[in-house]
Amino acid sequence: MSTERHYEREFVRTFFTSPTAVKGEEDSAKMIRSAAQLRGMQAPDVWVPDNEDATAPNMRDEGARNVAEVVAEHGAEFPGEIHPRVVWHRDSPGTRYRGFQHMLEIADPDNGAVEHIDGFVIPEVGDVDDWKKADEFITVVEHEHGLEAGSLSMSVIVESGEAELAMGDLREEMGKPSNNLERLFLLVDGEVDYTKDMRAMTPTGELPPWPELRHNTSRGASAAGLIAVDGPYDDIRDVEGYRERMVDNRAKGMTGIWSLTPGQVVEANTSPLPPESGSWLVEVDGEDVDLDEDEDGRQVYEGDDLGLEETADGYVLRVGSDEQELDAEELHEELADMASYVPSMDDIVNSMEEFEAAKEAGRGAIAMTQSATVVIDGVEVEVSRDRMWDEATYQAAQTPINLFQDVYEHRPDQHEELAEMYGADVVERAMDVGN
Ligand SMILES: CC(C)(COP(=O)(O)OP(=O)(O)OC[C@H]1O[C@@H](n2cnc3c(N)ncnc32)[C@H](O)[C@@H]1OP(=O)(O)O)[C@@H](O)C(=O)NCCC(=O)NCCS
C-alpha cells in the first residue's frame, strides 16, 4: 500500500505569510485584510496570517484577535487554505502556553472564523516529542470548542537540527493510538533560524543554501505522505534568484516555497506549472543557454561562447576557446549531446497521450523523437534526440500534470488565467490525460 495522505491538496505551491497586526496603522489588521481579498494567481495555495516572526511580540495578542475577525469576514470567499501561525518554542513553556491561548482564541466558534481555518502552523519545534505536545494542544483546542477531532491540521517549521532529525521518525510515529500526528500537513523549512541553530557561518553573513535540509525535508514529506515547502527567500526583489531556487527545489521534489510578498506569490504559483511553449537549451561550459526561436521555427544561438564554421571538408565547432574539426555526422552527434528540450504543457500531454495509445495497442516502450534546426553563426544543423518512453517514464512525466490537475481542481479562481496561458483545448486534454 502506498503512503496514505490525509488532506485534500496533493501539492502546495505557495505558503504566504502576512503580519497579523501592524502598529501605527489606523487599522492594525490592514495587511491581513488586504491579503484575505487576493484572488487568482495573486492568491496563495496556503495563506498564513503570521502571529509569530512577521508580527512584533507586543502586537501578538491584538494579532490573534485580528486573525479571528478578518477570517470571519473574508474566510468564506478566500480561494486558498488558511493556516495561521502561532508562537511556539521547544525550549520555552511560556511561549508554548501563549501559542495555545492564541489558538484557543482564533478557533473559538463564537468568533466565527474557525469554519474557514484549515489548521495551524507551529514554528520552532524540536524533537518528535515536542511535535506531539503541539499536536496535543491542538487536540485540546478541538475538544474545548466542540470541534471534530483531527479537523485542524498541523504544519511545522523545520528550523532546528532536532526537528530535521524528527522528520525521520514520522512514518513510525504517525498513527500511534497515543497521538494525533495524522493531522500533519506541511513540513516547511526555516533556513534563518536553522542557520542559527546549526551555528553555521559564512564570510558575508548570507544564508547558506542548505541543499541537505531541503533534501531531507522533501524525503521526510515523501516518507510520511506530507508536503514539503522551502523557507523564505528574503531578497524580495530578486525574481531571477527566486525562480532559480524553485527550479533547484523541484528537482528535489519540493514543489512549494514560502512567499513574503504578493509579487512572490504570483511567481511561486506560476513557476511549477509546465511552460506554455517548448524551448531548446544548449549546455556550454556547464551553463544552460536558451536558444531563440526565429520566425521560421529555427533555434538560433545568440551568444559568443559557441562558434560554427563550414569548411571544405566539414565543420569547425568552437566551444569557448576549444576548436574541433568534425564531419557532418560527428557535428550532429556533438550538438545532440549539448542540446536539450524543455517540453511545454502541450508536449507533455501529447507524449502521454501517445504513450497511452501505444500501451492500448500492446506496446510497453516506444521512442519519442524531438528534433529542431539549430543555427549557430548562420550555419544550420539538424538536431534530433530519441528518448525511450516506458511506464516509468510515463509516470515520472505525470508529476507536472498531477500538479496542474490538483491546481485546477482546487483553484477555480485561477481557471481564467490558466485558460489564457495554455488555451482551453490544452487545459481540457491536460485534465483528461492519465486518468
Ligand atoms: C517585507 C515587507 C515589509 C515588504 O513590504 P513592501 O515593500 O510594501 O512590499 P511590496 O511593495 O511588494 O507590497 C505591495 C503591497 O502588498 C502588501 N504586502 C506586502 N507583503 C505583504 C504580506 N506579506 N501580506 C500582506 N500584504 C503584503 C504591501 O503592504 C503593499 O500594499 P499597499 O500597496 O497597499 O501598500 C512585507 O512584504 C512583509 O511584511 N512581508 C511579510 C514578512 C513575513 O512574513 N515575515 C515572516 C517570515 S519569517
Side-chain angles (χ1 to χ4, degrees):
M1 200 181 82
S2 64
T3 303
E4 200 180 341
R5 295 177 187 272
H6 296 272
Y7 41 82
E8 271 273 300
R9 294 293 309 252
E10 271 187 58
F11 293 89
V12 164
R13 296 165 292 172
T14 33
F15 177 96
F16 178 46
T17 45
S18 302
T20 58
V22 184
K23 206 172 183 67
E25 297 283 346
E26 201 176 304
D27 169 18
S28 73
K30 178 176 164 269
M31 278 178 99
I32 47 172
R33 210 179 294 284
S34 62
Q37 296 174 66
L38 294 171
R39 297 290 181 269
M41 284 297 174
Q42 292 197 301
D45 286 339
V46 167
W47 177 45
V48 183
D50 184 7
N51 213 37
E52 201 224 13
D53 282 356
T55 302
N58 62 2
M59 295 299 285
R60 289 176 186 160
D61 292 337
E62 186 170 338
R65 290 193 293 275
N66 285 347
V67 174
E69 187 218 312
V70 169
V71 173
E73 189 181 348
H74 296 288
E77 277 83 45
F78 188 74
E81 294 197 3
I82 305 178
H83 297 250
R85 177 160 78 157
V86 294
V87 291
W88 182 270
H89 203 289
R90 56 194 175 279
D91 297 330
S92 163
T95 307
R96 298 199 291 274
Y97 182 71
R98 204 164 168 216
F100 175 54
Q101 296 291 319
H102 290 154
M103 287 196 282
L104 273 174
E105 164 122 32
I106 294 168
D108 186 338
D110 289 346
N111 291 331
V114 71
E115 57 197 287
H116 314 301
I117 300 275
D118 295 283
F120 286 102
V121 178
I122 310 292
E124 296 289 3
V125 285
D127 61 17
V128 81
D129 288 343
D130 188 56
W131 298 37
K132 290 180 193 169
K133 289 180 202 161
D135 162 40
E136 175 64 6
F137 272 172
I138 298 176
T139 303
V140 172
V141 168
E142 287 168 339
H143 178 77
E144 178 70 16
H145 289 320
L147 305 168
E148 195 190 322
S151 57
L152 293 168
S153 77
M154 171 169 134
S155 298
V156 296
I157 312 291
V158 177
E159 46 193 336
S160 63
E162 288 160 67
E164 185 182 15
L165 288 170
M167 292 191 290
D169 300 330
L170 292 180
R171 191 176 164 86
E172 210 168 303
E173 294 289 345
M174 285 166 75
K176 282 190 178 165
S178 51
N179 69 57
N180 291 308
L181 284 176
E182 296 102 309
R183 72 168 81 250
L184 278 168
F185 176 42
L186 305 175
L187 302 174
V188 185
D189 284 343
E191 281 90 351
V192 180
D193 283 314
Y194 181 77
T195 299
K196 179 184 72 184
D197 190 70
M198 297 289 284
R199 301 196 289 181
M201 294 182 261
T202 61
T204 57
E206 276 202 34
L207 285 184
W210 294 119
E212 312 83 353
L213 174 66
R214 289 180 282 141
H215 169 83
N216 290 344
T217 304
S218 183
R219 180 184 63 176
S222 172
L226 306 175
I227 294 180
V229 176
D230 190 16
Y233 188 84
D234 58 13
D235 197 349
I236 52 177
R237 313 288 173 218
D238 175 16
V239 176
E240 215 28 67
Y242 191 52
R243 284 187 190 145
E244 277 170 22
R245 177 68 169 226
M246 289 188 274
V247 170
D248 194 44
N249 287 343
R250 286 200 295 279
K252 301 180 200 303
M254 179 180 251
T255 316
I257 193 167
W258 200 305
S259 299
L260 294 167
T261 65
Q264 284 193 335
V265 172
V266 175
E267 288 301 325
N269 273 339
T270 319
S271 175
L273 297 170
E276 297 157 55
S277 45
S279 57
W280 284 86
L281 307 170
V282 282
E283 194 189 322
V284 186
D285 290 336
E287 291 270 328
D288 282 334
V289 184
D290 285 308
L291 299 181
D292 293 325
E293 186 165 309
D294 69 9
E295 62 270 19
D296 301 322
R298 301 180 311 172
Q299 305 294 324
V300 184
Y301 176 78
E302 304 277 12
D304 299 325
D305 296 323
L306 267 189
L308 184 62
E309 200 188 323
E310 206 166 351
T311 61
D313 22 72
Y315 296 89
V316 177
L317 175 69
R318 181 179 56 78
V319 181
S321 53
D322 290 343
E323 291 195 347
Q324 342 174 34
E325 287 180 26
L326 303 167
D327 64 24
E329 197 178 319
E330 288 166 339
L331 175 68
H332 178 266
E333 249 174 52
E334 189 69 28
L335 285 178
D337 275 350
M338 292 168 74
S340 38
Y341 183 68
V342 182
S344 65
M345 171 90 117
D346 193 21
D347 293 322
I348 300 172
V349 172
N350 277 334
S351 304
M352 287 180 67
E353 286 173 345
E354 207 177 305
F355 184 75
E356 283 173 2
K359 210 163 44 169
E360 194 74 22
R363 295 174 60 196
I366 55 172
M368 299 262 190
T369 304
Q370 212 43 265
S371 53
T373 306
V374 172
V375 183
I376 303 168
D377 290 343
V379 182
E380 282 189 10
V381 191
E382 293 303 316
V383 172
S384 82
R385 296 180 62 121
D386 273 351
R387 186 158 177 223
M388 187 280 301
W389 265 61
D390 64 7
E391 185 62 27
T393 330
Y394 171 77
Q395 292 197 1
Q398 218 164 341
T399 301
I401 297 296
N402 289 343
L403 164 81
F404 176 79
Q405 292 175 343
D406 191 58
V407 168
Y408 201 79
E409 189 182 328
H410 292 98
R411 295 296 306 271
D413 61 309
Q414 295 185 349
H415 284 186
E416 211 173 296
E417 281 157 294
L418 292 171
E420 241 168 64
M421 256 168 89
Y422 297 117
D425 166 62
V426 175
V427 167
E428 198 178 310
R429 286 166 47 229
M431 288 307 291
D432 259 2
V433 79
N435 293 317

